[in-house]
Amino acid sequence: MDREKPHLGTVQETLLIPLYARAVENGREQPLLRDTRAEEIVAALDYDFARFDELPSLTGTLLRARLFDRWVSDFLSTHPGGTVVEIGTGLNTRYERVDNGRARWFELDLPDVIDLRGRFFTDTPRRTTIAGSVTDGAWVEAVASQAADGPHLFVAEAVLPYLDAADVHRVVDLLADRFPGSLLALDTAGPGFFDTQEQHDALSKVTARMRWYCPDPAHLAGWLPGTEVLASHTLTSLPEPLLAELPLPYQQMIADLAVQQLPQVEGYHLNILHLP
Ligand SMILES: C[S@@+](CC[C@H](N)C(=O)[O-])C[C@H]1O[C@@H](n2cnc3c(N)ncnc32)[C@H](O)[C@@H]1O
């Protein structure tokens, strides 16, 4: 079969990094996660993935995916019929990994990504893709018109740091306004991580750069009165129950990393907010 060249904009290209991480991991004996679909997609795309081979940060993207998967699973065990909205979904396979057979899913990304995604994934009555920018309120109305009741969990994994701060504020305002009481999972790039992105092993291989600098995720609670930061983790301070589930070599790797307290690791946070 002829492989397909992905025609993606600058920030959109970054989706190929976590995709490749999941594809490679799928081939390991003791993986952080299984993702056969990612392996198939990588094989179908004509792209120089070798540039990402053996990069340490690929493991970081997998640990992040595991924590975000867990937050979605926790949400669905409390709210089996709830709504999950993947913001900047890329070619992610979270639905394949954690869907419970009842929840309502929306997967939003820019039009060129949704076009590519359409070659590999199909909508169903419970699963809807939306083409558009997260900064444009139209998608919010699309979700509200099809799944008004909620509760809603919005998952923005490795997306918001690529927007500028004013746009991130706008997104949070939009969500709190239209879906009060919803949850938002997001990552933040702070000191040591944001300012070393030119040297970042994977980002330095693509053109996109992060624009939103968040010095401390605790500050997010001050954006809108009533916002709560329910949890905030670094890759070296993952929740104990998640850590205990990881293959032992990864637990050891994280313990070694924690001792080093590297600014480029400790400056990156995975957070979940309860919006007012
Ligand atoms: C690093 S990728 C992460 C993809 C996916 N969340 C994952 O973890 O595999 C960043 C994603 O954010 C999307 N993105 C960036 N800016 C966006 C915007 N304004 N609206 C919607 N999606 C956006 C990109 O197209 C890309 O798919």
Side-chain angles (χ1 to χ4, degrees), residues 189-208:
F193 184 77
F194 184 91
D195 28 19
T196 55
Q197 52 180 316
E198 290 302 327
Q199 292 88 53
H200 186 274
D201 60 7
L203 259 189
S204 60
K205 305 284 191 304
V206 296
T207 315

Side-chain angles (χ1 to χ4, degrees), residues 178-274:
R178 208 64 178 83
F179 306 102
S182 58
L183 300 177
L184 170 63
L186 76 162
D187 47 345
T188 47
F193 184 77
F194 184 91
D195 28 19
T196 55
Q197 52 180 316
E198 290 302 327
Q199 292 88 53
H200 186 274
D201 60 7
L203 259 189
S204 60
K205 305 284 191 304
V206 296
T207 315
R209 291 291 177 266
M210 294 177 283
R211 290 187 285 160
W212 174 41
Y213 172 73
C214 176
D216 182 347
H219 294 177
L220 299 173
W223 279 19
L224 284 176
T227 303
E228 233 186 305
V229 181
L230 298 178
S232 180
H233 297 275
T234 62
L235 296 175
T236 61
S237 63
L238 293 171
E240 274 304 323
L242 171 59
L243 200 55
E245 281 173 9
L246 304 182
L248 284 178
Y250 286 106
Q251 293 188 30
Q252 188 57 54
M253 187 213 78
I254 292 169
D256 293 345
L257 208 54
V259 172
Q260 297 175 57
Q261 287 292 296
L262 300 173
Q264 62 272 36
V265 175
E266 302 306 322
Y268 183 59
H269 284 79
L270 311 172
N271 320 285
I272 184 158
L273 311 183
H274 184 245

Side-chain angles (χ1 to χ4, degrees), residues 69-85:
D69 281 1
R70 193 179 184 88
W71 280 335
V72 175
S73 296
D74 288 350
F75 171 78
L76 292 182
S77 33
T78 317
H79 309 289
T83 297
V84 180
V85 183

Side-chain angles (χ1 to χ4, degrees), residues 11-12 14-15 18-19 22 64 86-92 108-110 113 132-135 157-159 162-163:
V11 70
Q12 295 90 319
T14 59
L15 70 85
L19 172 74
R22 297 194 309 276
R64 180 182 68 210
E86 282 277 330
I87 292 174
T89 184
L91 289 168
N92 204 354
L108 166 80
D109 211 304
L110 296 165
V113 175
S133 172
V134 63
T135 57
E157 182 178 355
V159 180
Y162 293 105
L163 306 184

